[in-house]
Amino acid sequence: MAHGRRGVAVRCATNSECYIAASGPGLLELRMQLCTLLWANGISADIQYEHSAGESLEITTSMCRAEGIFFLILVRAHSPVCLLYTSPSP
């Protein structure tokens, strides 16, 4: 479990292969569309809650590593989607 910028514990499902986050508040609909697309193609995915959107990339990446999630999709408002490999810790 990681802690968001407001001190709120943020957790995602440990059985997810991919985590969809946003670089800032908003973009929830796009994150949900990406998640639906991944699910439809047999890829387990989870989305970042709106209150955690915009937290630092380091915090989000650390949380993914701790939860064993291999891929992080970062949705940004004015640029393309960015896919990051998180290389989870053993």
Side-chain angles (χ1 to χ4, degrees), residues 11-89:
R11 185 183 187 287
C12 63
T14 57
N15 60 349
S16 293
E17 299 171 79
C18 186
Y19 188 66
I20 304 166
S23 62
L27 305 170
L28 180 60
E29 186 175 331
L30 179 56
R31 284 182 278 150
M32 291 172 65
Q33 289 172 355
L34 284 169
C35 194
T36 301
L37 179 65
L38 292 169
W39 289 345
N41 287 282
I43 299 170
S44 60
D46 197 7
I47 61 172
Q48 182 180 48
Y49 293 116
E50 188 64 20
H51 70 272
S52 300
E55 68 186 5
S56 77
L57 184 57
E58 292 81 17
I59 290 172
T60 304
T61 303
S62 294
M63 186 272 308
C64 287
R65 286 184 180 131
E67 295 288 337
I69 299 171
F70 287 97
F71 296 98
L72 168 62
I73 297 175
L74 181 62
V75 179
R76 299 182 278 188
H78 301 291
S79 25
V81 171
C82 179
L83 175 65
L84 305 169
Y85 177 67
T86 63
S87 65
S89 304

